[in-house]
Structures are given as C-alpha cells and as structure tokens.
Amino acid sequence: MDPLRQSPSPSSSRASSPRTLPCEMLGYVGIEAVLDQLKIKAMKMGFEFNIMVVGQSGLGKSTMVNTLFKSKMCKSTMPGLGVPTPQTLQLQSVTHVIEESGVKLKLTVTDTPGFGDQINNDKCWDPILGYISEQYEKYLQEEILITRQRHIPDTRVHCCVYFVPPTGHCLRPLDIEFLQRLCRTVNVVPVIARADSLTIEEREAFRHRIQENLKTHGIEVYPQKCFDEDINDKILNSKIRERIPFAVVGADREHIVNGRCVLGRKTKWGIIEVENMAHCEFPLLRDLLIRSHLQDLKDITHNVHYENYRIFRLNESHVLPRGPGWVNLAPAPASIPAPAGPQASPRPPKVCWWAKDNSDEEC
Amino acid sequence: MAATDLERFSLPDPGCDSRQVWPQWSGLKQPFPRNWRDSRFSPVDVWAPIQNAEPEPRSLSLGGHVGFDSLPDQLVSKSVTQGFSFNILCVGETGIGKSTLMNTLFNTTFETEEASHHEECVRLRPQTYDLQESNVQLKLTIVDAVGFGDQINKDESYRPIVDYIDAQFENYLQEELKIRRSLFDYHDTRIHVCLYFITPTGHSLKSLDLVTMKKLDSKVNIIPIIAKADTISKSELHKFKIKIMGELVSNGVQIYQFPTDDEAVAEVNAVMNAHLPFAVVGSTEEVKVGNKLVRARQYPWGVVQVENENHCDFVKLREMLIRVNMEDLREQTHSRHYELYRRCKLEEMGFQDSDGDSQPFSLQETYEAKRKEFLSELQRKEEEMRQMFVNKVKETELELKEKERELHEKFEHLKRVHQEEKRKVEEKRRELEEETNAFNRRKAAVEALQSQALHATSQQPLRKDKDKKKVPQLKQALLQNTY
C-alpha cells in the first residue's frame, strides 16, 4: 500500500479535535480489513426494512410491492368484486424474510386499505401517523430500558411510498395535507400510480406540476436536500429529485415479449413492460429504494426522524431530570402534563405540533 | 366480473383471491388443496386474513433478482464516510516497550516523550492520531498508563485506570441521555481494548498484575501480552504461558477471547486463543537480514526479527488485533462493557425498569420523583442559607451593641476623671489664693511695723542701729514666715 498522507475528506461530518495529530504510516498495517469484518458481521445479523404504502384503493399498491420484491408479499385485491371497502382505515403489516446471495432481509410491508376512500376523509392520516409514532415509541421504550437487548428490533417505518392517482392535473388537497404532515415524520417517496393511463407528455407535465406543488407547500420528500452530505451525494440526489415523483406501473404477471419473459401488463394495444425505462420508471424506483438508498433511508430514519420524535417525547414528559450533571437544552416548562403511555389511537395535538413547529428540525 | 376471457380460464393467479375468481369456493373454510399450488407460495395459508399482530416472519422465495444484495456494500460505504475510531489502553511498567510496540503495530512513529520513573501516581495520557489507509480513516487513540508500577506503594495503582475507563463510559452515557444528541457525530473515546504488558520474569504473574487485571476485566477487553519476549527462551516461554493462563483462570480473570461463532474466522480465532498470551517483541529499527531490510533487534549473538513467527508472536497479535477482530472488539465494548456500566449507573441513581404489571412508563415517575426530591433539596439548602445569613446579621448586631456600650462606659469614666482633676485643680487654686492673701496681709503688717520702727529710730538713733539691726532681722523673719 502506498503511504498516504492524512487528508480529512470533505464529506467527513466529524470535526477532528484540535489535539489530533495526523500520522503517516510507512507500510501496510491492515486497517482496511475492518470493512470486511463489518460486512461479515452485518450479513450474519441480517437486515431489516420496513416500508409503508399509502394510497387510495385501486391504485396498485399491493401489486407494486409484489413487483418490487418479486414475490407475493401482499395479496392484491381486485376492486369491485364484493370486497367491502373498510369503513375506517386499517393498517395491515406483513413480515417476510427474504434472502439473496447470502444477504437476509426482514421485510415488513404495511398496507393502508381504506385510505382516502370515505366520503369524509378528514383526519384520515391520523391512524397512519399514530402507527408511525407507535413504532418510534416502541423503539424508544426499548432504548430507555436499564437492561437492554443487544439488538433492538427495528419496526420503525423507514420509507413511505405515497401513491398519487394519475389525474394529470396536480396534487389534490388530500394529497397535500397528507404529505405535509407525513414528510416531517418519515421519509416519503411519492409516485404516480397507474402511469400507463398517461402519455409521456402528460406524465412530464403532471410531474412538473406536482414538483411545483411540493415546492409551494414546503413539502420535503426523500431524498431531502438538507441531508446531502457531500458533493457526490448532491449530484446523485439532485438527479433523483428531478425525476420525483416516478411514474410507475406495477405488474406481477409475466408475459413473453420478443422471446423474453418480462413482467408486464397485457392490454389489447400492447404489453407494458415494467422493467423497460421507455415504458415506465419502475426501475428508478426500485433502484432508489433497494439498490442504492436503502441504508440511507434507514440512517435518516434513525438519526433524524427518530431523534426528533425522541426530543419531542422527552420534552413532553420530562423524562430527564434537570440539574447539575445533566445537560438539558430544553427550558423547564411551567406545568407537568399527565404521563403519556404508548397509544394506538392518533393524537391530534401532536400532529398540530409537527405541523406548526419547524424550528426543531435538523434541516 | 371484469376479468378477461383468457385469465378466466387459465390457472388462477396465486396473487389474487381465488374466492373471487371462483365464487363457489367462497364458503370454504379450509385452504385449497396443495397439489396445484405454485412453488412460489409460502407454506403458510395465504388466504387467512392478514392481521396486525406479528407472528414470526415467514420466509419467501424470490422470483428474480431484486438487488438488495448490495446492502452490505451500502452499509460499508456509509461507515467509510463516517470513519472509525479505535482506542487502545496500554498498561505496563515503565520501560517495558509499550510505545515501541505501538509504533511497530501501526508502522509509524507516534511522538511521545519517554516517561520518567519518578511519577507520584499513575497518570493516564491519551493521544489521538488520524490514520488513513486506502479509503478507511481511523481515529486512533492510544492511552498510556504512565508511572504504572513505579511507586513504592502500589495499592492504588489501578484506580486511575479504572476511573479513566469509567469517565469515558460516563461521557458516552451523558451524550446518549441528552435530549438533543448527535450520536453518529460523537467521537467515541471508550476504550476498546486493553493491552496488558506482563514482565518477562519467566516465573509467574506478579500480584500487582493479578489485582489490576481483576479490576479491569469487567470494564474492558483485556489482551495480556508478554513483553520483551526476546529475553526468554522458547521452552521457558511455553512454561511461562501455561503458568500465566493457569493463574488467570484460577483467579477468575476474564480476558478477551477471540470470537469463534462465525465460521469465517472461527478456526483462526480458535487457534489464536490457544496462543494467548502473545509473546511480542517490538522494534522500529530495520536490520538487513539476507538481502531484505526487516524490522528487528540486533544483538551480538543474533538478530530477533519482529515479523518472524518463529521468533515472536507479533504477527499473530497484529492479525488478531487489527485485521480480524477490530470490529468485534468495538462491538463487545459497546454491547457488553458499556451496557453493564450503564445498567449499574442507572440502577445506582435509583431507576428501575417496569416489572410486568406496572405502567410501562414508570421510568418517568422515577424521574419525576427524583426531580421533586432534588428541588426540595434545593429549597432546603436555600432556607438553610437564609437562616445562616439572618443569624450572622443578629450576631454582628449584638457585637456592635456591645462595643457601643463599652465606648459609652469609657466616655463616662473619662468624664469623671476629668471632673476629679478639675476639682483638685480648683482646690489647689483656692489654697494658693489663701496663701497669697495671707502673705499679703503679713506683708502689710510688716510694712506697718516697719514704718513704726522707722518712726521710733528717728528719736533714738542708738536704737536705730538696734532697730536697724532688728528691722532687717524682722524683715527677714517676716519674709521667712511667708515662705
């Protein structure tokens, strides 16, 4: 190995202390073997990923999940076949363990049937926010224990895929409300569902309008601009940001096209290939979610969203004592509210807090 | 039903709900017979309603390449940007070769001054260095226990070391318990490994070594090392190692065992475990052996090569410490030693986990109680201080009053004395006046006599002489009388 002078990379988010001395090594020591050790350890422990799909019924959420992970995660419901639409929003989670090339992934998919299906959709986001907070709460409880587990099971929602119906016009008020509330609690990736009903030009126009809407309402979807660490990330993420929201088509049936077996939707006027970039942007979504940014999603959930929740929670219930020896940046409030336990039902005051207080964000 | 004709007559799509495709089956409670099921099905009944409660996750086989096998690479690249930190604590007598070994291990020269033998007590000296190899950045902290084993009374030698380790844990715990914390940015200073240097006497461990290691084994991963191994012959070394391990086991000292649960490294680690403690030789000088320059120590009787496995176990140490188990050392520190410290510390402060039936957030109540206690303590102290202040004020007032009274008395006394004096002086003045009056009267009488005598002498001049004699005598007597 060549002797290398120490040069702090511009991406390093750690400031070196004033007394750190850079040192030259005159030969190969073997420090980089720690990367292999990390890999081995990670593969032994396995990975976890929790994804939530939100959207009105009939937009192809379950099909999309099946297409993403190339297996039958959820049973896709066919609308209008006697399945009663749920009266209230129920969240359903399915967990599977999938393995590929020795890498084990515990995947949890949370579906939200009944979202936006009622006549009055007011506060239909509350159960979803409640569910997300409940997962954070579980993790926080585990973390606060005196005797903790070695590896706290991670059920926090890492990514929420929001399906925008392909109206072709712009975001509806329901979408805007929901996205505003959700983008502060979880990483949101909006997609245009059933994009095969839009032509390419309509898609582009729709996409632009959605981007405008998002900017106007201050909705920061994943990948958030403020978390770009270095110049490479910025370039990569801005390319992605240009194409958000992706126009996707989901399909889990295979058809023969030109001798190849592809996933697609067969219609009278042709077969829409899911993996064909010319037809839809599914490969982009899959690459973003799985192949390149999965770890990043988890990291942002853990370092940003979970920490925000924790700050809020600890401030609210005054868990930490105040006094010498404890560093507390939050001022002591006048009254002590009632102790709060984990609740499955939504809590409207908290939603308002998220909605109006922007200053605690790390952006 | 809006299904197309083709789909209607083909095998049911495993993804859809077959009860809708063939409504005659909708009343069926048990699942479909298995014989025509696609192999892509999971073995669990997929038509059972999916519930919120989570049973153990079922495994699913994939129909194609999804692409999450790049996950470990994603994780690794994230870690690389963050950088790593590794902290080594070197404990051993002065002059046993700790700094040289560090230099040899990391192939560089860490600039440290030689420690003197005259330290009052054991002092810990941490130094942080930034190392980089290809794209991996390592923040290496080497903590030296300076003055270990130099004092005459070595009773308290271990205490500064234990205090230092605890202080690092405490810092991390404080950071973890903050409300606004940034753990991913935090420079981890917890000691990951302690290299304990054993003096190569060839007999057994010293009692200082045993005591120190016993105190440290629950706080840090200990790897014992026999230093200056070129002073022991091979056979003696073998016996020495067995003796040391025997003593450690019989005294219940838990040294770090290289992990053997992962197949990739299990064999290597198991072999190395048998070679503990490693007998090492450190050197930064290079000597020409054959036609290569190697790091070695040159003696008149031969050359001890550092990287020769026959000569010493340096290569084994480097393998184990850096190339194979660095991550495991860090993980053990975090998940075992740090958790133990955290548990003890929190229990000491009075916190308990909720036990089953009680409210899930009893931690909050304990915190509340602690806070109230602290506030009341604060109030009490305030009261005390106020009381003290009031008391002091009273005291000073009394004192001042006393003084005032004294002064008064003095003044009175002085006044009286003054009066006395005045009176005396008055008396004396009166006396003086009286005497002056008496004198004046006598004077007048004498002068009257004199004039008479003068009258008489003008008729009797003889008597004049006598009178003249008498007169001055008389005058003198009168004068004497007045005085």
Side-chain angles (χ1 to χ4, degrees):
Chain A
M1 278 289 146
D2 301 320
L4 292 167
R5 295 225 65 202
Q6 198 278 332
S7 47
S9 80
S11 68
S12 169
S13 52
R14 293 145 132 237
S16 42
S17 66
R19 276 186 293 146
T20 328
L21 313 168
C23 260
E24 261 184 60
M25 293 192 303
L26 307 166
Y28 180 66
V29 176
I31 297 178
E32 60 176 9
V34 74
L35 297 179
D36 292 322
Q37 299 167 27
L38 255 185
K39 235 190 241 187
I40 295 173
K41 190 168 68 110
M43 297 203 13
K44 195 169 71 144
M45 204 156 59
F47 296 87
E48 287 167 316
F49 189 56
N50 309 317
I51 188 172
M52 180 189 266
V53 282
V54 184
Q56 286 179 299
S57 48
L59 284 181
K61 305 190 292 285
S62 316
T63 320
M64 175 55 60
V65 173
N66 290 345
T67 325
L68 262 177
F69 292 100
K70 292 219 169 59
S71 52
K72 306 302 164 196
M73 293 274 156
C74 326
K75 53 172 191 157
S76 38
T77 52
M78 303 226 300
L81 293 174
V83 177
T85 50
Q87 288 306 311
T88 51
L89 177 53
Q90 299 159 350
L91 289 138
Q92 296 171 351
S93 295
V94 204
T95 311
H96 295 278
V97 174
I98 44 185
E99 183 173 335
E100 192 177 61
S101 318
V103 178
K104 283 201 260 293
L105 178 68
K106 183 167 155 210
L107 181 70
T108 307
V109 180
T110 312
D111 202 354
T112 55
F115 176 79
D117 281 341
Q118 284 80 42
I119 294 178
N120 180 5
N121 283 317
D122 200 20
K123 302 247 188 304
C124 65
W125 46 80
D126 277 352
I128 296 178
L129 287 175
Y131 176 82
I132 295 175
S133 320
E134 195 186 314
Q135 307 313 309
Y136 286 147
E137 183 67 34
K138 267 196 218 157
Y139 195 88
L140 182 66
Q141 297 276 16
E142 288 285 334
E143 206 193 10
I144 274 192
L145 282 181
I146 304 271
T147 325
R148 315 198 266 215
Q149 300 173 34
R150 196 177 188 116
H151 176 71
I152 303 177
D154 193 358
T155 51
R156 304 171 289 188
V157 176
H158 297 132
C159 175
C160 174
V161 183
Y162 186 73
F163 287 75
V164 176
T167 56
H169 297 163
C170 61
L171 284 178
R172 302 166 302 156
L174 172 65
D175 300 335
I176 293 176
E177 279 297 314
F178 184 80
L179 284 173
Q180 265 180 338
R181 289 188 159 75
L182 225 67
C183 71
R184 287 196 195 97
T185 350
V186 76
N187 300 317
V188 178
V189 179
V191 293
I192 301 175
R194 286 195 183 267
D196 47 339
S197 58
L198 298 170
T199 64
I200 304 285
E201 295 84 18
E202 283 168 1
R203 260 188 229 171
E204 291 300 316
F206 191 27
R207 194 202 313 277
H208 280 297
R209 270 191 285 263
I210 292 183
Q211 282 172 357
E212 294 283 313
N213 279 339
L214 292 177
K215 216 189 297 186
T216 327
H217 289 96
I219 300 172
E220 282 251 358
V221 298
Y222 183 82
Q224 293 95 337
K225 224 178 252 177
C226 41
F227 300 140
D228 283 341
E229 280 188 10
D230 60 359
I231 195 75
N232 298 332
D233 277 351
K234 257 207 232 334
I235 298 175
L236 182 65
N237 287 345
S238 38
K239 282 208 196 101
I240 296 173
R241 277 191 278 267
E242 274 168 38
R243 314 286 296 163
I244 288 240
F246 300 125
V248 294
V249 176
D252 46 6
R253 289 189 216 176
E254 290 189 343
H255 306 272
I256 312 278
V257 171
N258 296 339
R260 289 176 303 130
C261 203
V262 293
L263 282 174
R265 283 173 66 80
K266 185 154 185 240
T267 59
K268 287 257 170 69
W269 45 92
I271 295 181
I272 304 160
E273 289 166 46
V274 161
E275 308 239 355
N276 191 335
M277 271 299 291
H279 292 192
C280 77
E281 288 166 358
F282 172 79
L284 285 181
L285 177 68
R286 181 198 53 206
D287 287 345
L288 176 75
L289 281 187
I290 301 176
R291 292 191 188 169
S292 56
H293 284 74
L294 206 158
Q295 188 60 38
D296 192 41
L297 282 164
K298 288 172 68 170
D299 280 344
I300 292 190
T301 310
H302 180 66
N303 291 333
V304 177
H305 297 298
Y306 170 69
E307 289 293 319
N308 283 338
Y309 177 80
R310 184 176 171 273
I311 291 174
F312 165 73
R313 193 78 177 80
L314 296 185
N315 269 337
E316 176 195 76
S317 52
H318 315 291
V319 173
L320 291 181
R322 299 174 197 288
W326 292 97
V327 180
N328 263 324
L329 305 175
S335 64
I336 305 172
Q343 297 168 12
S345 57
R347 293 195 291 199
K350 187 158 103 49
V351 172
C352 297
W353 185 88
W354 281 113
K356 58 176 185 216
D357 192 354
N358 248 338
S359 55
D360 287 287
E361 282 283 295
E362 307 242 22
C363 280
Chain B
M1 273 207 351
T4 61
D5 298 343
L6 216 67
E7 285 161 13
R8 205 160 166 187
F9 293 110
S10 61
L11 274 179
D13 187 340
C16 78
D17 192 344
S18 301
R19 277 180 279 216
Q20 269 70 54
V21 179
W22 291 300
Q24 66 267 30
W25 292 108
S26 62
L28 214 61
K29 292 280 196 294
Q30 64 264 34
F32 271 87
R34 283 173 184 262
N35 44 12
W36 57 269
R37 269 198 193 173
D38 198 281
S39 62
R40 282 183 288 177
F41 268 123
S42 72
V44 183
D45 180 11
V46 281
W47 288 289
I50 303 170
Q51 281 146 18
N52 251 345
E54 310 229 1
E56 334 57 68
R58 341 158 202 187
S59 30
L60 209 54
S61 44
L62 299 172
H65 180 243
V66 178
F68 59 85
D69 50 354
S70 63
L71 259 179
D73 295 316
Q74 291 181 34
L75 180 64
V76 159
S77 64
K78 275 267 156 181
S79 310
V80 162
T81 30
Q82 263 191 344
F84 297 90
S85 61
F86 194 56
N87 308 319
I88 305 181
L89 169 67
C90 294
V91 180
E93 295 181 1
T94 317
I96 209 169
K98 305 189 283 284
S99 315
T100 317
L101 185 66
M102 287 296 116
N103 289 348
T104 326
L105 258 178
F106 291 100
N107 235 333
T108 175
T109 321
F110 299 123
E111 283 162 20
T112 47
E113 351 62 54
E114 261 184 31
S116 83
H117 283 266
H118 300 290
E119 299 277 340
E120 286 274 318
C121 61
V122 177
R123 167 172 77 86
L124 284 124
R125 186 175 59 180
Q127 292 268 38
T128 312
Y129 306 96
D130 274 327
L131 301 171
Q132 179 160 0
E133 187 172 88
S134 59
N135 57 345
V136 177
Q137 282 174 30
L138 181 70
K139 222 179 189 60
L140 179 73
T141 305
I142 299 182
V143 185
D144 219 350
V146 174
F148 187 77
D150 275 336
Q151 295 81 33
I152 294 179
N153 180 4
K154 296 186 260 241
D155 264 344
E156 296 290 306
S157 291
Y158 68 87
R159 191 167 295 285
I161 306 177
V162 169
D163 288 343
Y164 180 82
I165 298 176
D166 279 344
Q168 307 316 306
F169 282 148
E170 183 65 33
N171 287 345
Y172 192 84
L173 183 66
Q174 288 279 356
E175 181 67 32
E176 199 188 18
L177 288 177
K178 273 192 197 167
I179 290 193
R180 270 172 212 277
R181 60 189 189 180
S182 55
L183 276 178
F184 55 90
D185 233 354
Y186 179 73
H187 175 213
D188 191 5
T189 51
R190 299 172 293 184
I191 303 287
H192 297 127
V193 66
C194 170
L195 293 176
Y196 197 92
F197 289 73
I198 300 173
T199 335
T201 56
H203 298 298
S204 64
L205 279 177
K206 298 192 185 160
S207 44
L208 172 67
D209 293 340
L210 273 172
V211 165
T212 314
M213 278 206 261
K214 196 89 178 72
K215 292 275 176 204
L216 290 177
D217 70 351
S218 57
K219 293 198 179 283
V220 75
N221 303 314
I222 300 186
I223 297 183
I225 294 179
I226 301 174
K228 297 205 176 180
D230 49 351
T231 54
I232 319 184
S233 71
K234 248 203 159 116
S235 50
E236 280 177 6
L237 188 63
H238 190 62
K239 278 191 238 158
F240 191 29
K241 280 192 184 181
I242 295 178
K243 192 86 206 304
I244 291 179
M245 290 310 281
E247 283 196 344
L248 289 175
V249 166
S250 60
N251 279 293
V253 174
Q254 300 206 359
I255 57 173
Y256 176 72
Q257 296 290 321
F258 303 117
T260 46
D261 47 0
D262 186 13
E263 323 79 44
V265 291
E267 302 163 29
V268 177
N269 281 344
V271 165
M272 293 299 175
N273 273 331
H275 280 276
L276 278 174
F278 294 126
V280 293
V281 174
S283 167
T284 43
E285 290 159 1
E286 301 201 333
V287 172
K288 202 171 173 95
V289 170
N291 49 0
K292 280 199 305 172
L293 267 181
V294 291
R295 286 181 298 174
R297 286 176 67 79
Q298 178 145 51
Y299 290 107
W301 48 88
V303 176
V304 179
Q305 293 162 33
V306 162
E307 306 216 5
N308 189 334
E309 299 236 21
N310 288 332
H311 291 195
C312 73
D313 293 332
F314 172 79
V315 175
K316 295 195 182 76
L317 175 68
R318 187 179 56 192
E319 274 290 310
M320 286 294 103
L321 191 63
I322 302 177
R323 295 188 190 169
V324 179
N325 293 314
M326 194 194 276
E327 187 55 36
D328 187 65
L329 283 164
R330 293 174 45 183
E331 203 205 319
Q332 290 281 346
T333 310
H334 180 70
S335 55
R336 196 143 67 93
H337 300 293
Y338 169 70
E339 286 296 316
L340 182 65
Y341 174 82
R342 178 177 176 273
R343 189 163 68 226
C344 294
K345 192 77 198 303
L346 291 181
E347 274 173 7
E348 186 187 293
M349 294 197 317
F351 300 121
Q352 294 152 5
D353 277 341
S354 62
D355 32 21
D357 327 310
S358 58
Q359 283 179 32
F361 223 55
S362 64
L363 201 60
Q364 180 206 358
E365 284 174 10
T366 328
Y367 274 116
E368 275 297 319
K370 287 247 145 195
R371 189 165 86 96
K372 286 206 180 92
E373 205 185 290
F374 175 75
L375 279 177
S376 62
E377 175 84 21
L378 204 66
Q379 266 191 339
R380 198 175 53 80
K381 283 218 167 95
E382 253 186 72
E383 272 304 311
E384 252 184 54
M385 283 180 67
R386 205 174 298 139
Q387 267 308 106
M388 218 163 55
F389 178 70
V390 166
N391 286 348
K392 260 219 151 67
V393 165
K394 277 203 186 124
E395 264 178 51
T396 329
E397 261 187 46
L398 279 174
E399 271 184 33
L400 283 172
K401 278 210 173 90
E402 270 282 325
K403 286 231 161 75
E404 213 185 310
R405 205 163 41 80
E406 272 177 35
L407 273 173
H408 252 294
E409 274 186 25
K410 237 187 184 166
F411 178 64
E412 295 289 316
H413 178 72
L414 278 173
K415 216 160 103 177
R416 266 182 274 129
V417 164
H418 174 69
Q419 298 266 20
E420 276 284 323
E421 295 275 317
K422 212 162 138 183
R423 199 167 46 79
K424 280 194 186 146
V425 164
E426 280 288 329
E427 266 189 41
K428 280 218 167 112
R429 195 157 61 88
R430 256 183 290 121
E431 274 179 27
L432 184 68
E433 264 191 42
E434 274 184 28
E435 286 195 15
T436 343
N437 287 343
F439 172 67
N440 283 339
R441 267 185 272 122
R442 283 224 193 104
K443 195 169 149 193
V446 163
E447 278 180 356
L449 255 166
Q450 235 187 350
S451 59
Q452 261 185 6
L454 228 66
H455 227 38
T457 49
S458 59
Q459 297 163 6
Q460 302 167 16
L462 279 168
R463 273 197 236 153
K464 214 201 260 177
D465 289 293
K466 284 187 218 165
D467 283 328
K468 272 198 184 156
K469 281 181 199 165
K470 275 191 190 166
V471 166
Q473 277 177 14
L474 212 58
K475 255 195 181 165
Q476 260 193 347
L478 275 175
L479 280 170
Q480 276 176 5
N481 261 346
T482 53
Y483 286 105

